[in-house]
């Protein structure tokens, strides 16, 4: 049944159906958007590979937690307390 795979006339039928469904005005816009998406995808994949190459090798240890230290009394150490009486910027 699928002995010959895709032949040129198969592609011609697909092209005719695509033009009939979307119209000739939408096809260039769609192709442009598809090309832009492919460029973005390629650049992101390249950036991820570069990021993986610069990351140090993992030793298998559990990552250290980097949770924020909770503030006591609503201020951080060395930070001035707000003036009493609400909103100080009038």
């Amino acid at each position: 049944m699928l002995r010959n795979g895709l032949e040129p006339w198969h592609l011609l039928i697909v092209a005719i159906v695509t033009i009939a469904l979307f119209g000739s005005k939408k096809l260039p816009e769609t192709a442009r958007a598809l090309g832009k998406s492919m460029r973005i995808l390629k650049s992101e994949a390249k950036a991820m590979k570069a990021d993986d190459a610069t990351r140090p090798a993992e030793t298998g240890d559990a990552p250290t937690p980097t949770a924020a230290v909770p503030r006591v009394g609503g201020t951080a150490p060395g930070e001035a307390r707000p003036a009493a009486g609400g909103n100080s910027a009038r």
Side-chain angles (χ1 to χ4, degrees):
M1 185 169 170
L2 291 175
R3 252 183 331 175
N4 297 330
L6 282 177
E7 293 183 8
W9 66 273
H10 290 124
L11 297 176
L12 181 64
I13 290 174
V14 169
I16 290 172
V17 169
T18 304
I19 291 172
L21 286 176
F22 296 109
S24 60
K25 290 185 179 182
K26 286 285 186 184
L27 287 177
E29 295 172 11
T30 305
R32 201 172 297 122
L34 180 65
K36 188 175 183 180
S37 298
M38 290 300 295
R39 281 191 300 272
I40 291 170
L41 179 66
K42 284 182 182 180
S43 68
E44 290 296 324
K46 192 180 292 186
M48 286 177 64
K49 284 182 183 178
D51 186 39
D52 287 345
T54 59
R55 186 182 306 175
E58 294 191 21
T59 59
D61 296 335
T64 56
T66 57
V69 178
R71 294 182 178 189
V72 178
T75 60
E79 187 176 294
R81 288 188 170 255
N87 191 359
S88 61
R90 295 181 189 216

